[in-house]
Structure formats: structure tokens, C-alpha cells
Amino acid sequence: MARRKRYLTAVLADGTVKTIGPTAAPFTHYWRIVAHLGGGRTDIFWGHAKSLKEATGKRIALEEAARQRGWERYDFDIVPVTESAQDPARDA
């Protein structure tokens, strides 16, 4: 039996809203890295994970990546996703 497609929405502390979907994948959390490169430049990396443990595991690799790439600093956010049957953007 095919898994039901749904939309996942993550709302970060700064108000950023990210919608993922439609998907049948069992994602529970969204993560985002804002890398501060220097000179006012930033780069953003993001993804989703199937558990909080998987998402927090990114932090270990992140510290090494920041050193290798010479980032001045970085911000790392993890938030749970909420599920809906239809695209939240269409409801707006």
C-alpha cells in the first residue's frame, strides 16, 4: 500500500517558514545552518531528518566543516515539522 502524500511545514525562530512536499517520507524535523563567511556574506544549508537524534547529529560534522571552510561563525537551528494534507501556500 502506498504511503499517503502530505506537506510538512517548519517554522523557525526568526519567522522563516519552509514547506516540504508533497512527500510520503517520515520526516519529523527540519535543520538549517547559516554560515557567516565574513564580509557580511552568508551561505545557507538546510535539510530534514527522520528523528531529532538524526538532526542533532549534524552538529558534530558541522563544527569540523566550519573549521575546514574558515567560517567566522554559524547558526544551527532544528525545529519539528507539522503535517498537513494540502499545501499550506494554497490556503494563504
Side-chain angles (χ1 to χ4, degrees):
M1 180 183 201
R3 294 185 90 174
R4 180 175 60 94
K5 298 280 185 178
R6 71 241 197 286
Y7 290 87
L8 305 174
T9 302
V11 180
L12 289 107
D14 66 1
T16 301
V17 177
K18 177 71 176 176
T19 300
I20 304 160
T23 183
F27 299 125
T28 61
H29 288 79
Y30 171 85
W31 57 267
R32 178 183 71 176
I33 300 164
V34 178
H36 299 269
L37 309 175
R41 296 179 307 136
T42 59
D43 204 353
I44 299 175
F45 305 90
W46 61 271
H48 25 272
K50 296 177 182 177
S51 69
L52 178 58
K53 182 178 180 177
E54 180 184 340
T56 55
K58 304 289 181 195
R59 185 177 302 277
I60 296 166
L62 175 57
E63 292 170 3
E64 179 62 27
R67 274 194 300 277
Q68 287 179 352
R69 291 171 177 81
W71 298 343
E72 286 184 346
R73 64 184 177 87
Y74 60 86
D75 301 315
F76 183 59
D77 301 302
I78 300 173
V79 295
V81 297
T82 56
E83 181 179 324
S84 62
Q86 57 188 12
D87 187 353
R90 298 185 106 187
D91 295 340

